[in-house]
C-alpha cells in the first residue's frame, strides 16, 4: 500500500522526538564519570528502573511484530508474548540480585568477579556484541519501515534518523539519558496501548468493517464466467496447475485473477489482489501502475469480520463489548484473512497474488495457524521440537540479554533490583495481555496492509483517527529508540570496559573510560546504521528469535553456574560461552529458516533438522561447562563462593 | 484448547492470560517474602 505523509503525523513525530531527546539530555546532564555513563551512578529509582525495563525490553518486535502476527494469524503471536514474559521469572528468581551483587558495569563483570580471567571477559564481550548486533538489525530495519509510511521518506532516512538520534542520546549522558528515554517510551507504550484497547472494545465487531471497507467479491463461478465481454485465459506458463481463473476484458485488455474455491460442493470464484514487480522494477497492482492517480491503482486495505454467526443472524455489529465477550464473539465469527502466493511469470515478472481466506474465529484462537508455529499442529517430531526450542529460547534468553542485564546496575541495591524487576514484570505483562486485543482489533479493523504485517498496530490506530495513527507511529518509533539505545550502550560497554580495559589492559582513567565508551557508542551506532541499510530487503523478524537463542545458549549456562556452582572454573565458564555462542550461531546458519530466508535456497537442503537451536545448544552449554570445570583445577574456595551466592554458606 | 469453559474466551487464551498472571503473582509473592531482606554487608557495588 502507498502511504501519504500528513503534516499532522510529521508534527506529532517531530514533537515526540524533541520531547524524548530534550528530556533525556536534561535529565542525564550529570553523567560525567564512568559510573554515571555505564550505570547511572546506581541512583535510578526502582520504579523508574522497572518501567525502563519495559521500555528496554518491549522492542519493535514486541510491539509491531506481535500485533502484526496476531492480526494476520491469530493466537500464534500471543505465544511470543507468553514466552517473552515467562523469561522474566528466570531473571527475577535466578539472575537479578546476584548479578547486582557481583557486577559493576557489564554482565561480564559479574561472570568474572570470582575468576579475574581475561578469557572470560573476552568470551563475554564477544557474546554481548554478537547478541546485540543480531538484536540491533531488526530494530534499525523496523525504523526504516516505519519512517516510509509516516513521513514519506526513504528507508535509509529512517535508519539514519534512528542511528543519529540514538547515538546522540547515548553519547550525551550514557545510561542516565538511556534510562529516561526507556522510561518515557515504556510509559507511553503501555498507556496508549491501553487506550487503544478500550477503543477496540467500545467498537466491538462490525461485519465488513462497516462503511470503512469496500467488500471483496466472492460469487458462484457460473455467475462470474457469464459476464459479457470477458474471456477466460488458458492456464498456461506459470499459471499452469494454479487454483486461479484469469479473465480478460476484451475491450480494455485488462486481466482479472480470481481464486477457485469449492463451497458446499459448488465452484466459486473469489476476488484477489495482485502486486507485480517487473524485471525493470515497475510495480503494478492488478495489472495497472501502482499509485493513487488516474489510471493507477493501489492495494486495498483488508481484514474484517465476514459474519458474526451470533444469535441474531441479521446483526451487523456487536456494539461495545467487555474483554471476555469480545473474545467470545470473535470465536463465533468468521474472519476474512488473506493468504498469498508468488508466481514467477514467463517474462520474469514476479506476481504476488493475495487471496481471501475466510477463517472461523475459533481456529484463530488456538496455536498453529502461522508458518512459524505450524509445528504445533504437525505430527512430525522435529516440527514439535522446533516449537519447543523457540519457547525455551524465549524463556531462557530474557535473563541472558546483555542490554537487559546492565539495567540491574542502575539502582542502588539488591532490594531495588528486586522491586524494579517486579515493576518491570507488571508493566510488560500488562502490555502483553493488551497485545491480544490489539492484534485481534487490527485483524477486524478493515485497515490492514496485506503486504506488511508490521504496520498492523499503526493502521489499527488509523482506523480510529489520524491523530491516534500519528501518536502510535511516533510511539513505535520511540520504541525503536529505547531499545536501540540500550543495545548500543551494552555494546559500547563490552568494547570500552570489557575489551579495552580488561582484556587488552589499556590503562584508562575515569574520564578516558567515558570517552572510550562514547567513541565505541558512535562506532557501534555507525555499524548499526550500515547493517540497517544492508538488510533492508531481508525478512529480519526472525533475527530477534535468533538473538534469544544465542543469548540463552551462550550466556545462561555461564551466568547460572558462575553464580551458583562453586566448582565452576574459569576455563569451564569461557568454554561454555564460546561453545554456546558458536554452536547456536552455526546451527542457525545451517537451518532451514536461514536457507529459505537468507540464502534463498531450498529449505529441504538445510543441514540441521529444525531451525531453533536452543533445545540442543543450551544443554550443550551446561554440559561443556560441567565437563571442562571438572577436568580443570578448582579455583574458588568455599568462603569466597558463599560470599558470591548469598549469605547462606553452601553445604 | 478450543473449548470455552467460561466467560467466552477459550482455554488457550485463558491459559495464556493465566501464565502471564501467574508470573506477576509469583513476582509479587517474591517481593513480599523478601521484604525484610537487607543487602549483605560488604556486598560489591
Amino acid at each position: 500500500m502507498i502511504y501519504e505523509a500528513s503534516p499532522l503525523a510529521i508534527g506529532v513525530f517531530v514533537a515526540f522526538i524533541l520531547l524524548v531527546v530534550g528530556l533525556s539530555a536534561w535529565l542525564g546532564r550529570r553523567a560525567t564519570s564512568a559510573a554515571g555513563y555505564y550505570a547511572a551512578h546506581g541512583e535510578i529509582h526502582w520504579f523508574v528502573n522497572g518501567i525502563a525495563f519495559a521500555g528496554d525490553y518491549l522492542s519493535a518486535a514486541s510491539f509491531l511484530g506481535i500485533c502484526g502476527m496476531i492480526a494476520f494469524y491469530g493466537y500464534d503471536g500471543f505465544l511470543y508474548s507468553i514466552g517473552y514474559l515467562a523469561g522474566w521469572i528466570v531473571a527475577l528468581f535466578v539472575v537479578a540480585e546476584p548479578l547486582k551483587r557481583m557486577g559493576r558495569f557489564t554482565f561480564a563483570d559479574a561472570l568474572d568477579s570470582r575468576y579475574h580471567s581475561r578469557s572470560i571477559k573476552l568470551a563475554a564481550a564477544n557474546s554481548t556484541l554478537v547478541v546485540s548486533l543480531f538484536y540491533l538489525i531488526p530494530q534499525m530495519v523496523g525504523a526504516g519501515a516505519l519512517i516510509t509510511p509516516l513521513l514519506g521518506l526513504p528507508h535509509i532516512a529512517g535508519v539514519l534518523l534512528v542511528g543519529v538520534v540514538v547515538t546522540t542520546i547515548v553519547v550525551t549522558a550514557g545510561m542516565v539519558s538511556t534510562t529516561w528515554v526507556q522510561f518515557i517510551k515504556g510509559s507511553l507504550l503501555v498507556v496508549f496501548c491501553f487506550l487503544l484497547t478500550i477503543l477496540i472494545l467500545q467498537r466491538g465487531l462490525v461485519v465488513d468493517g462497516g462503511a470503512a471497507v469496500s467488500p471483496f467479491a466472492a460469487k458462484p463461478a457460473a455467475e462470474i464466467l457469464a459476464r459479457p465481454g470477458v474471456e477466460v485465459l488458458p492456464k498456461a506458463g506459470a499459471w499452469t496447475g494454479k487454483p486461479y481463473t484469469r479473465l480478460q476484458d476484451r475491450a480494455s485488455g485488462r486481466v482479472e485473477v480470481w481464486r477457485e474455491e469449492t463451497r458446499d460442493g459448488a465452484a466459486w470464484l473469489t476476488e484477489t489482489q495482485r502486486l507485480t514487480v517487473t524485471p525493470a522494477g515497475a510495480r503494478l497492482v492488478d495489472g495497472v501502475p501502482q499509485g493513487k492517480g488516474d489510471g493507477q491503482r493501489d492495494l486495498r486495505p483488508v481484514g474484517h469480520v465476514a459474519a458474526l454467526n451470533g444469535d441474531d443472524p441479521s446483526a451487523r455489529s456487536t456494539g461495545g463489548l467487555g474483554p471476555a465477550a469480545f473474545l467470545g464473539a470473535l470465536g463465533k465469527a468468521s474472519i476474512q484473512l488473506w493468504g498469498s502466493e508468488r508466481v514467477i511469470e514467463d517474462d520474469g515478472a514476479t506476481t504476488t497474488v493475495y487471496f481471501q481466506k475466510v477463517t472461523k474465529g475459533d481456529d484463530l484462537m488456538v496455536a498453529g495457524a502461522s508458518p512459524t508455529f505450524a509445528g504445533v499442529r504437525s505430527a512430525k517430531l522435529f516440527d514439535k521440537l522446533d516449537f519447543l526450542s523457540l519457547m525455551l529460547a524465549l524463556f531462557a534468553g530474557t535473563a541472558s540479554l546483555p542490554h537487559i542485564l546492565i539495567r540491574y546496575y542502575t539502582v542502588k541495591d539488591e532490594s531495588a533490583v528486586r522491586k524494579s524487576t517486579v515493576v518491570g514484570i507488571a508493566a510488560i505483562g500488562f502490555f502483553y495481555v493488551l497485545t491480544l486485543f490489539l492484534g485481534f482489533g487490527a485483524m477486524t479493523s478493515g485497515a490492514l496492509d496485506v503486504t506488511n504485517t508490521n504496520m498492523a498496530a499503526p493502521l489499527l490506530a488509523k482506523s480510529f483517527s489520524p491523530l491516534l495513527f500519528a501518536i502510535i507511529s511516533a510511539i513505535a518509533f520511540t520504541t525503536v529508540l529505547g531499545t536501540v539505545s540500550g543495545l548500543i550502550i551494552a555494546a559500547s560497554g563490552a568494547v570500552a570496559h570489557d575489551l579495552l580495559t580488561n582484556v587488552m589492559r589499556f590503562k584508562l582513567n575515569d574520564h578516558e573510560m567515558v570517552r572510550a565508551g562514547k567513541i565505541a557508542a558512535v562506532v557501534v551506532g555507525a555499524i548499526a546504521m550500515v547493517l540497517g541499510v544492508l538488510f533492508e530487503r531481508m525478512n529480519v523478524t526472525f533475527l530477534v528469535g535468533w538473538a534469544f537463542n544465542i543469548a540463552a545458549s551462550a550466556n545462561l549456562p555461564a551466568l547460572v553456574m558462575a553464580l551458583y556452582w562453586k566448582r565452576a572454573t574459569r576455563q569451564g565458564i569461557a568454554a561454555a560461552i564460546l561453545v554456546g555462542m558458536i554452536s547456536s550461531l552455526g546451527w542457525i546458519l545451517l537451518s532451514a529458516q536461514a536457507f529459505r530466508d537468507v540464502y534463498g535456497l531450498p529449505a529441504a537442503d538445510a543441514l540441521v533438522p529444525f531451525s531453533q537451536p536452543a533445545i540442543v545448544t543450551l544443554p550443550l552449554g551446561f554440559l561443556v561447562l560441567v565437563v571442562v570445570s571438572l577436568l580443570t583445577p578448582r579455583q574458588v574456595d568455599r568462603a569466597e563462593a558463599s560470599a558470591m551466592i548469598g549469605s547462606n554458606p553452601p553445604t | 484448547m478450543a473449548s470455552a469453559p467460561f466467560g467466552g474466551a477459550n482455554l488457550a487464551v485463558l491459559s495464556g492470560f493465566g501464565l502471564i498472571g501467574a508470573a506477576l503473582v509469583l513476582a509479587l509473592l517474591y517481593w513480599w517474602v523478601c521484604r525484610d531482606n537487607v543487602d549483605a554487608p560488604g556486598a560489591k557495588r
Side-chain angles (χ1 to χ4, degrees), chain A residues 46 75 78 82 85 89 92-93 97 101 113 324 327-328 365 412-415 418-419 422 426 429 433 436, chain B residues 1-2 7-10 12-13 15-17 19-20 23-24 26-28 30-31 34 37 39 43-45:
Chain A
W46 56 265
Y75 186 82
F78 193 52
I82 298 166
L85 185 76
I89 290 297
L92 176 63
F93 286 167
E97 291 165 62
R101 198 181 308 134
S113 63
L327 294 172
M365 312 260 285
K412 67 175 178 158
D413 55 26
E414 291 150 55
S415 170
R418 203 161 49 232
K419 290 177 189 170
V422 175
V433 168
L436 193 70
Chain B
M1 296 300 266
N10 71 9
V13 171
S15 58
F17 286 161
L19 283 169
I20 291 174
L24 182 58
L26 280 173
L28 290 170
Y30 184 66
W31 183 346
C34 298
N37 276 17
D39 292 348
K44 285 188 179 181
R45 291 281 174 265

Side-chain angles (χ1 to χ4, degrees), chain A residues 93-115:
Chain A
F93 286 167
V94 180
V95 173
E97 291 165 62
L99 198 85
K100 169 68 181 172
R101 198 181 308 134
M102 294 164 67
R104 192 164 166 238
F105 295 151
T106 66
F107 100 102
D109 288 342
L111 268 187
D112 192 47
S113 63
R114 287 165 55 184
Y115 306 100

Side-chain angles (χ1 to χ4, degrees), chain A residues 148-487:
Chain A
T148 302
L150 189 61
L151 302 184
L153 296 172
H155 175 90
I156 191 170
V159 172
L160 293 179
L161 189 60
V162 165
V164 170
V165 171
V166 167
T167 306
T168 306
I169 289 167
V170 173
V171 169
T172 307
M175 196 47 145
V176 182
S177 51
T178 298
T179 298
W180 285 104
V181 167
Q182 292 170 344
F183 173 77
I184 296 165
K185 164 229 167 157
S187 310
L188 289 173
L189 190 61
V190 172
V191 168
F192 275 91
C193 286
F194 181 54
L195 178 66
L196 207 46
T197 302
I198 291 173
L199 292 174
I200 291 165
L201 296 176
Q202 271 184 345
R203 177 161 70 186
L205 299 176
V206 184
V207 174
D208 287 342
V213 179
S214 51
F216 292 87
K219 294 181 179 174
E223 191 178 321
I224 301 288
L225 297 174
R227 277 168 39 192
V230 295
E231 65 176 297
V232 179
L233 295 178
K235 289 196 177 192
W239 297 93
T240 306
K242 304 273 185 197
Y244 300 104
T245 295
R246 292 182 301 151
L247 299 178
Q248 185 168 39
D249 186 280
R250 288 195 191 95
S252 66
R254 266 192 59 203
V255 175
E256 297 172 5
V257 175
W258 293 73
R259 188 170 169 92
E260 299 158 2
E261 277 184 22
T262 304
R263 294 187 181 181
D264 299 326
W268 277 60
L269 293 174
T270 62
E271 188 180 2
T272 67
Q273 304 191 81
R274 66 188 198 279
L275 177 67
T276 302
V277 181
T278 67
R283 295 167 71 85
L284 310 173
V285 172
D286 296 340
V288 297
Q290 184 177 21
K292 301 274 191 188
D294 289 340
Q296 297 179 323
R297 185 180 266 215
D298 193 15
L299 293 164
R300 288 149 64 190
V302 302
H304 63 265
V305 177
L308 288 174
N309 305 327
D311 298 333
D312 178 4
S314 64
R316 303 280 296 169
S317 166
T318 60
L321 295 168
F326 178 84
L327 294 172
L330 194 79
K332 284 183 193 166
S334 301
I335 313 295
Q336 190 183 81
L337 300 182
W338 286 74
S340 68
E341 183 171 0
R342 188 165 287 189
V343 178
I344 311 293
E345 312 250 17
D346 297 339
D347 61 359
T350 302
T351 294
T352 307
V353 182
Y354 298 98
F355 55 88
Q356 303 172 47
K357 219 169 54 173
V358 176
T359 309
K360 286 184 177 173
D362 279 339
D363 286 344
L364 298 169
M365 312 260 285
V366 291
S370 73
T372 310
F373 292 112
V376 176
R377 297 182 186 178
S378 169
K380 294 179 186 167
L381 174 66
F382 284 143
D383 289 345
K384 290 187 185 298
L385 284 178
D386 197 47
F387 167 71
L388 288 174
S389 193
L390 177 58
M391 287 292 113
L392 178 65
L394 301 185
F395 184 65
T398 300
S400 323
L401 292 171
H403 68 290
I404 298 297
L405 295 176
I406 56 172
R407 185 146 290 294
Y408 287 122
Y409 302 131
T410 58
V411 289
K412 67 175 178 158
D413 55 26
E414 291 150 55
S415 170
V417 161
R418 203 161 49 232
K419 290 177 189 170
S420 65
T421 310
V422 175
V423 170
I425 288 174
I428 294 166
F430 181 60
F431 172 80
Y432 280 145
V433 168
L434 298 181
T435 58
L436 193 70
F437 294 97
L438 296 176
F440 283 136
M443 177 190 275
T444 55
S445 65
L448 294 178
D449 178 353
V450 73
T451 65
N452 188 348
T453 60
N454 288 334
M455 283 303 291
L459 290 174
L460 163 69
K462 197 175 189 177
S463 73
F464 290 105
S465 85
L467 176 63
L468 203 52
F469 168 71
I471 291 172
I472 291 292
S473 298
I475 289 174
F477 199 77
T478 58
T479 294
V480 178
L481 291 184
T483 304
V484 170
S485 55
L487 287 164

Side-chain angles (χ1 to χ4, degrees), chain A residues 133-147:
Chain A
L133 282 178
F134 265 87
Y135 219 109
L136 266 172
I137 296 168
Q139 310 302 325
M140 301 302 281
V141 175
L146 268 173
I147 208 81

